[in-house]
Amino acid sequence: AGIVPGAAHESTVGGAIRLATIEAGVPVPLDDIAAVTGESTSSIRQKFHRLIQETDLVDTVDPSDLVVDPPEYIPYVATKLGYVDNKGLCDDVHSLLKEAELNGSSSPLSQVAACFYALIKNDPEYSITQEEIARAVGLSEATIRNNYPKFMR
C-alpha cells in the first residue's frame, strides 16, 4: 500500500511482475500478467511505468534494460509451444533472429513466434499450424503470417 498512490493492488503487482520478469531476462507478455491479475494490460503498463518513476528505480534502472530483445522471448514461446526441451530448435530460432534484419516494426513476441513458425513450417518433425502458434502465445494468425516470411531461409 502506498507504493503507487491511487493504484489498485492488482495493477501494482502486475507492474512489479512485468518489471521483475524483464530484469530477470525472462519477460512475460502483458496479456499473461493481465489474465492472472484480472487487470487490463493498459493499467498494468501504466503502473509499470509509474513504479519506475515514483520509486528509486528511476535512478538505478537503465531505460535500455527495459527494452525486450526478441531472443529474450524464446524460452516463453518455446514453453507455450511445448518445445522448451528442444535446445536445437531454440538455438536455431536464436540464430535466425540474429541473422534477420529486424527494424522494430513488429513486437519482439511477434518476431519470435513467427521465427518458430518459419523454422518448423516445412519440417515433418513438427506438426503445428500458424493458428496453434498464434493461440498459444496470444497473437493473431495474421501476425504470424505477416511476419514469418522475413525468417524464411
Side-chain angles (χ1 to χ4, degrees):
I3 294 174
V4 180
H9 294 298
E10 293 83 359
S11 295
T12 304
V13 168
I17 290 169
R18 177 69 172 162
L19 179 62
T21 63
I22 290 172
E23 283 292 303
V26 288
V28 174
L30 286 172
D31 288 340
D32 286 9
I33 297 170
V36 171
T37 62
E39 292 291 318
S40 70
T41 57
S42 61
S43 176
I44 292 168
R45 185 181 300 108
Q46 289 171 352
K47 300 319 179 256
F48 167 75
H49 291 292
R50 284 184 65 192
L51 276 171
I52 293 167
Q53 293 168 353
E54 296 183 17
T55 64
D56 64 354
L57 292 175
V58 74
D59 299 324
T60 60
V61 174
D62 184 341
S64 67
D65 291 340
L66 300 177
V67 176
V68 179
D69 289 324
E72 293 179 35
Y73 273 119
I74 293 171
Y76 173 81
V77 174
T79 299
K80 289 292 194 176
L81 298 178
Y83 298 136
V84 72
D85 294 328
N86 191 329
K87 183 170 173 17
L89 178 59
C90 292
D91 288 346
D92 289 346
V93 169
H94 193 269
S95 295
L96 193 53
L97 283 167
K98 282 187 166 189
E99 291 171 18
E101 293 183 23
L102 304 175
N103 60 12
S105 63
S106 298
S107 76
L109 179 60
S110 299
Q111 293 171 356
V112 173
C115 190
F116 266 96
Y117 181 70
L119 282 169
I120 64 178
K121 179 180 183 324
N122 296 317
D123 190 329
E125 181 180 342
Y126 305 101
S127 61
I128 191 164
T129 65
Q130 283 181 15
E131 178 184 8
E132 291 167 326
I133 291 173
R135 191 175 35 241
V137 297
L139 299 171
S140 72
E141 281 182 73
T143 299
I144 305 294
R145 184 172 44 257
N146 292 337
N147 283 286
Y148 91 85
K150 64 182 124 186
F151 300 107
M152 295 303 290
R153 292 183 179 180

